[in-house]
Amino acid sequence: MRIMIGSFDDAEWTRVYQQCYEYVPAISLSAPPPLFLSFSPFPCPHLIKNQNSNIRPGGWIEQLEASPYIECDDDSLPADNILRTWGPALSACGKRAGRPLETIDMMQDAFRKAGFVDICEKEYKWPIGPWARDQRYKEAGTVNYQHWMSGMEGWAMWLLCKFGAPEPWSHDEVIVYVAKLRAELQKSRYHVYERARRVWARKPFPEEIAERERAEANERAMANQRAEANQRAEANQRAAVKTEEAVKIEE
């Protein structure tokens, strides 16, 4: 098993990619905190594609990510509350940086393009703070609250100081912004959470890959045959029209 969290230097990546594993869980590689896509030169699709060659046939890969947006399903968080600016602000910075933070919505497609099969997913609402009634969610929210309170400044500093709008923010502006966010997160009457998604998939066995390639080749051949048949039909139709026009001219 290989657990990947955060970012690695080149030597660590080389060591990871030289080994094969039965199970590779990738945890919090993007957002929030959007550390991985913000600071690492290895975007998520590239990571998933490379991991295909480092998992034994029949082995599994799993990825857990969270959304950069702070959300609320009831009216406890006012529409104009500063907490609602966090997700849009950082997401816009990520786009300007050329490294989108919405990995939570990209995982399935990345797994599929990398050749994994039996792709499954499960979504969660991860509370920020101990406001939930269910004890499990209350504990998860308590941990996540500390995660946010201690991490927001680091998550925001690079993005906002490099790609803030309408111009890059100053260090002091980020400090003030984060202080206001922390003050609002301390209010337990706000039932806020972040979306989280877990996606897992299996690396196919060689015979499965061969069967899939044969099926894809057959499908391409049939598509080509249909296209050629359509072209012949269109050519015959054009020829018939020309013949009909020639007959009319002779008459």
Side-chain angles (χ1 to χ4, degrees):
M1 183 177 85
R2 178 66 184 177
I3 297 178
M4 298 179 295
I5 182 167
S7 59
F8 306 99
D9 57 26
D10 292 341
E12 178 70 2
W13 278 107
T14 300
R15 189 174 72 83
V16 168
Y17 287 148
Q18 288 177 344
Q19 301 181 54
C20 286
Y21 305 92
E22 294 284 353
Y23 170 60
V24 175
I27 305 170
S28 293
L29 298 184
S30 55
L35 292 176
F36 187 80
L37 290 185
S38 298
F39 298 99
S40 170
F42 296 96
C44 182
H46 178 80
L47 166 70
I48 299 302
K49 183 178 180 179
N50 279 346
Q51 281 305 310
N52 194 331
S53 61
N54 294 98
I55 298 176
R56 296 186 180 94
W60 292 81
I61 184 170
E62 179 180 12
Q63 186 173 0
L64 173 65
E65 299 295 339
S67 167
Y69 289 81
I70 297 176
E71 303 195 36
C72 179
D73 287 344
D74 56 26
D75 296 327
S76 62
L77 184 67
D80 59 351
N81 190 278
I82 193 172
L83 292 176
R84 294 189 182 274
T85 68
W86 169 266
L90 266 67
S91 179
C93 288
K95 291 177 181 177
R96 284 190 288 271
R99 299 178 179 184
L101 306 184
E102 291 79 5
T103 303
I104 184 174
D105 299 318
M106 305 176 188
M107 293 185 291
Q108 273 217 30
D109 189 53
F111 279 28
R112 188 172 294 106
K113 289 181 178 178
F116 290 98
V117 297
D118 296 341
I119 301 173
C120 303
E121 74 169 23
K122 186 173 182 179
E123 294 197 16
Y124 306 87
K125 292 181 179 180
W126 194 356
I128 305 174
W131 55 265
R133 293 181 180 179
D134 185 281
Q135 186 60 33
R136 293 174 301 173
Y137 286 104
K138 185 180 291 293
E139 292 176 0
T142 299
V143 173
N144 201 25
Y145 169 79
Q146 296 298 332
H147 182 58
W148 276 79
M149 293 294 282
S150 62
M152 281 190 295
E153 182 178 320
W155 306 340
M157 190 63 71
W158 185 83
L159 285 169
L160 290 174
C161 288
K162 291 285 187 179
F163 301 99
E167 59 185 20
W169 293 26
S170 69
H171 176 274
D172 290 342
E173 286 175 324
V174 175
I175 294 295
V176 171
Y177 177 58
V178 171
K180 293 178 179 178
L181 292 168
R182 285 176 175 151
E184 292 302 302
L185 277 182
Q186 290 175 358
K187 299 176 181 179
S188 59
R189 66 177 180 273
Y190 296 154
H191 300 162
V192 293
Y193 67 91
E194 57 182 324
R195 288 191 307 121
R197 179 175 293 153
R198 181 167 62 97
V199 177
W200 63 99
R202 180 176 62 84
K203 179 176 180 177
F205 290 97
E207 55 270 24
E208 292 180 280
I209 297 175
E211 178 62 28
R212 183 178 63 192
E213 290 176 347
R214 284 194 296 270
E216 291 174 350
N218 290 336
E219 185 176 346
R220 287 194 298 269
M222 293 178 63
N224 290 336
Q225 290 175 0
R226 289 193 296 268
E228 291 174 358
N230 290 335
Q231 290 175 357
R232 287 195 298 269
E234 291 174 358
N236 291 336
Q237 185 177 5
R238 289 194 296 269
V241 171
K242 289 182 179 180
T243 300
E244 184 178 351
E245 291 175 348
V247 170
K248 289 181 179 180
I249 292 174
E250 291 178 357
E251 293 177 349

